[in-house]
Amino acid sequence: MVFTLLLVGLTWFVWKFKTDGLSRTDLLIGWGIKVLFGVLFMIIHTKIYGIGEVTVDWEEYMEDSITLNQVAYQSFGDYLRFLFGTNTEAAVGHYLSNTNHWSAGDLDLMNDSRNVLRINSLIVFISNGNVYVHILVFSFFSFIGLREIFQAFRERIFYNKRLFWFALFLFPTLSFWTSSVLKEPLMILGFAFILNALFGGLSVKSRLWRFALGFVLMLGFKPYVLGCLLLSIPVFLLGKWVFRKRVLLAPLTMLVGMVLVFALFSGLRKNVTHRLTRMQFDFINVGRGGMHAYADSCFYYFRSDQFADLEFTDKGVQAKKDLTAKKVTFGMSYPFRDIRLKPGEGPWSVVFIGEACGSYIELTPIGNDFGQLMKNIPEALSNAAFRPTFRDPGGRLKILSFLETIALFLLLAFGLWYNRKNRTPEEKNILVFLITFSLVLLVLIGWTTPVLGAVVRYRMPAYLTLFLIAFIGSRPFKFKL
């Protein structure tokens, strides 16, 4: 009943939207496609990869959100403190000790996993845990985002505007991940607000509130994507105000500036290298499978092949024989060293345990070496942009992902070639900005992510910008039969 009423209500809102270049029928079809992709996401995670239940992150986010929502019925004041990030650790232990995502990370209002739980816990008040209601709400968020993107670029595309509209909704990676109850719908909404603020024909007031809201959404629901975007905006501003006729000098100037900054400030260079090393290290451990156990001042990481040397009890896990574990320090500190454990030591409470990911690939370790970090750029870019391929590990869906990659880069090559002599300086500057953003994001993902299933999900904003690049140009294109 709630699902039906909400579907009717949101459809009415979509029907009331006025968008130049589109009819109300176009808007309703786009909305219908979004809802269908949400159902597809559910089917894939229950029928293909699941056993009749919601699996992977979706299930954990839903369960944790329901647990958080139940706090409101025990103490509404404590629930509000959880929403606004003013809760105590004692309250976490009292109410949310059995959650999976709330305790992940050291941040609070900057923790994107917790922020997704906050939003979903609010929706639980009307959904009562029905995931399809959550799908509708998150799909509506991303629908607004795609409409913002259409408005930002509709005067700069060389294809028919309606074709561009429907292509946005039928782009598999974009519509699939933004129809979930995860971080992507809210992140893409914030990303779209910023793109429209930069490129749309808006008043100063409209630009300001979009940029501010987009900044908050991206900061709360994918801060690393926001970081890549903020690194790229100076390229756009340089091309707009300084290098109007030679826009390629903008990214070159930015690159030279970054090289000088890293050369002059060794502390910054070391900090960036440390953080990326730690991110890669943690993701490799999760990708390979194994267990993290809490040991007072650190975590111990055990490989899955060491489980036979461990004794699992109600209090946790302890060593049965001499073995070597990896000592993992809190926060972003480095290095991580091996520690020798003796029989009877423990028990340590189990924080995370999992099997190896089916799409795990080996990465060249950064090893806290800035020079190695730079050497890893070609590998990182190749992995993030073009994999998985047919020969890579993973399930059947990797074939669809590879075919999408081929289609995207063919479309990109055609779009760049077709309008190579007909772009205005403004359009060239937008292209350089979008290319810069996509390259920065892809390299960051490739540096740290050894699981191809995660790569496909994380690179979605970069694929979106490559998709937009393929449509930008001044020379009109018409299909000829």
Side-chain angles (χ1 to χ4, degrees), residues 282-294:
D282 288 341
F283 215 147
I284 286 175
N285 284 346
V286 173
R288 285 176 174 170
M291 176 173 59
H292 286 78
Y294 178 64

Side-chain angles (χ1 to χ4, degrees), residues 177-318:
W177 290 111
T178 60
S179 298
S180 67
V181 293
L182 305 176
K183 306 165 190 175
E184 282 73 17
L186 292 159
M187 179 274 294
I188 208 66
L189 177 59
F191 188 47
F193 278 141
I194 292 179
L195 289 180
N196 202 8
L198 289 173
F199 309 132
L202 304 171
S203 65
V204 174
K205 181 179 179 180
S206 295
R207 291 181 190 274
L208 287 176
W209 76 255
R210 279 178 169 83
F211 196 91
L213 182 55
F215 182 91
V216 170
L217 286 170
M218 294 191 73
L219 185 65
F221 297 99
K222 284 283 185 177
Y224 70 90
V225 179
L226 175 63
C228 295
L229 184 62
L230 294 179
L231 282 174
S232 306
I233 287 179
V235 172
F236 171 73
L237 297 177
L238 285 171
K240 184 179 181 64
W241 302 111
V242 181
F243 304 112
R244 296 182 181 181
K245 296 183 179 180
R246 296 182 178 181
V247 292
L248 289 178
L249 290 177
L252 181 60
T253 301
M254 186 69 181
L255 179 61
V256 171
M258 292 183 64
V259 170
L260 289 175
V261 169
F262 281 122
L264 294 173
F265 300 96
S266 60
L268 176 63
R269 183 173 67 248
K270 291 178 180 179
N271 185 51
V272 170
T273 308
H274 283 189
R275 287 180 173 272
L276 291 173
T277 298
R278 178 59 190 255
M279 291 170 64
Q280 184 193 62
F281 174 86
D282 288 341
F283 215 147
I284 286 175
N285 284 346
V286 173
R288 285 176 174 170
M291 176 173 59
H292 286 78
Y294 178 64
D296 295 329
S297 60
C298 65
F299 294 105
Y300 292 152
Y301 167 70
F302 301 96
R303 302 186 311 272
S304 55
D305 62 342
Q306 294 179 306
F307 287 178
D309 300 330
L310 299 170
E311 180 181 357
F312 293 84
T313 68
D314 293 339
K315 296 181 179 180
V317 62
Q318 62 186 33

Side-chain angles (χ1 to χ4, degrees), residues 89-116:
E89 288 303 315
V92 175
H94 179 68
Y95 294 111
L96 305 178
S97 59
N98 294 324
T99 56
N100 294 298
H101 286 282
W102 190 267
S103 59
D106 301 323
L107 305 177
D108 209 319
L109 285 175
M110 293 282 288
N111 185 305
D112 50 4
S113 294
R114 290 184 177 182
N115 288 335
V116 174

Side-chain angles (χ1 to χ4, degrees), residues 440-477:
V440 172
L441 181 57
L442 289 171
V443 170
L444 176 62
I445 294 168
W447 268 334
T448 59
T449 313
V451 179
L452 293 177
V455 168
V456 171
R457 174 182 169 186
Y458 297 163
R459 74 186 178 194
M460 182 266 291
Y463 264 32
L464 170 59
T465 55
L466 295 176
F467 178 80
L468 294 173
I469 291 168
F471 277 82
I472 294 175
S474 302
R475 180 185 173 195
F477 176 81

